[in-house]
Amino acid sequence: MENINPEIEQSWKVVLLKEFNKDYFIKLKQFLLDEKKHHSIYPKGKDIFNAFNYTSFDRVKVVILGQDPYHGMGQAHGLSFSVPDGVKQPPSLKNIFKEIASDLNLPLPETGNLSPWATQGVLLLNATLSVRVKQAGSHQKKGWEEFTDSVIQNISQKKEGVIFLLWGRFAQDKAELIDKNKHHILTAPHPSPFSVYRGFFGCKHFSKTNKLLAEQGLKEIDWKI
């Protein structure tokens, strides 16, 4: 499965080089090879590292952390919460757009493709980067979490002033990996229909993020899709 061999943007390849040679990553690669023999895996191999390929290490200003890729056909394309053009918006993504509309007085978009955020420096990172078709969480605890924890730690250690948007308990547990003296952490309930009314609606994370960027003299994110 040659496309699991990290075809990853060069600045990330430098930052993460040690990870690719660790035992857990070698085992993860073999697991994915075995999985692909018997199951459909999402996203496609070429898209697994899209979060990194769209947002180089040097350009990371904001991190939005998800848990798993979508497990329905055609949904996952390597960016957390995002779906490709032409694919129906999942409920959590619809709620994200509703909050943006309320927070920034922007129209609800027709597409669910968040790549315009990624190209502006928003790292759309899932903790697990692959999944078996129609089996949520099926690739958890196979090594991906160790890899993405290292991503978060490298950002924390090597950058300053990054804004981490941690939605839901799973994402908020990652706060321990982040140096709070160097970075900004905004937390809220998850945007899923089960928890969105517990405080995701009204969190104003998108205007708050832009305020924090402006205070650092950085270009604000255009959240309009």
Side-chain angles (χ1 to χ4, degrees):
M1 191 174 174
E2 72 288 341
N3 35 21
I4 291 300
N5 207 18
E7 295 283 331
I8 195 168
E9 190 274 335
Q10 184 59 32
S11 65
W12 284 107
K13 190 169 278 190
V14 172
V15 169
L16 298 170
L17 187 61
K18 290 179 181 177
E19 298 303 310
F20 299 136
N21 297 309
K22 288 182 178 178
D23 285 347
Y24 83 84
F25 199 89
I26 294 165
K27 289 175 183 173
L28 170 62
K29 183 178 175 181
Q30 188 58 50
F31 165 75
L32 292 168
L33 283 165
D34 295 340
E35 275 282 281
K36 199 178 182 188
K37 290 175 184 174
H38 306 289
H39 306 281
S40 293
I41 295 174
Y42 298 140
K44 295 175 182 175
K46 67 179 178 62
D47 293 335
I48 284 177
F49 292 107
N50 263 353
F52 307 96
N53 296 331
Y54 274 99
T55 314
S56 68
F57 182 78
D58 308 322
R59 296 188 66 201
V60 173
K61 299 192 287 190
V62 181
V63 178
I64 298 180
L65 186 66
Q67 188 164 5
D68 251 20
Y70 297 121
H71 54 85
M73 185 178 293
Q75 290 181 304
H77 67 142
L79 304 175
S80 63
F81 293 102
S82 180
V83 291
D85 291 325
V87 174
K88 183 181 176 183
Q89 296 172 10
S92 292
L93 182 56
K94 282 187 176 181
N95 287 334
I96 290 170
F97 288 148
K98 286 177 184 176
E99 175 57 22
I100 290 172
S102 169
D103 185 11
L104 298 172
N105 195 29
L106 289 175
L108 293 170
E110 293 184 11
T111 183
N113 188 339
L114 304 182
S115 58
W117 296 357
T119 56
Q120 295 177 75
V122 181
L123 181 68
L124 296 164
L125 180 67
N126 278 317
T128 302
L129 299 188
S130 61
V131 70
R132 187 187 295 179
V133 59
K134 295 182 180 177
Q135 292 191 37
S138 49
H139 287 187
Q140 291 177 6
K141 299 180 181 174
K142 303 295 183 183
W144 278 132
E145 292 92 342
E146 191 168 343
F147 177 73
T148 53
D149 280 359
S150 175
V151 171
I152 295 167
Q153 288 170 317
N154 271 285
I155 293 170
S156 177
Q157 291 164 9
K158 296 173 182 174
K159 297 183 73 74
E160 288 190 17
V162 174
I163 301 146
F164 291 83
L165 306 185
L166 305 182
W167 300 332
R169 183 168 294 172
F170 173 85
Q172 288 161 22
D173 285 345
K174 301 293 184 179
E176 65 185 28
L177 304 172
I178 303 162
D179 185 341
K180 298 163 190 64
N181 296 314
K182 291 172 62 184
H183 302 283
H184 307 279
I185 299 174
L186 301 181
T187 62
H190 195 276
S192 84
F194 302 107
S195 55
V196 71
Y197 288 102
R198 296 180 196 153
F200 182 82
F201 283 155
C203 71
K204 298 189 181 298
H205 276 188
F206 305 95
S207 60
K208 288 176 181 177
T209 293
N210 278 350
K211 184 172 184 288
L212 288 166
L213 290 171
E215 287 170 356
Q216 297 180 65
L218 298 172
K219 188 175 181 182
E220 296 179 10
I221 304 299
D222 179 1
W223 295 106
K224 185 177 180 180
I225 296 293

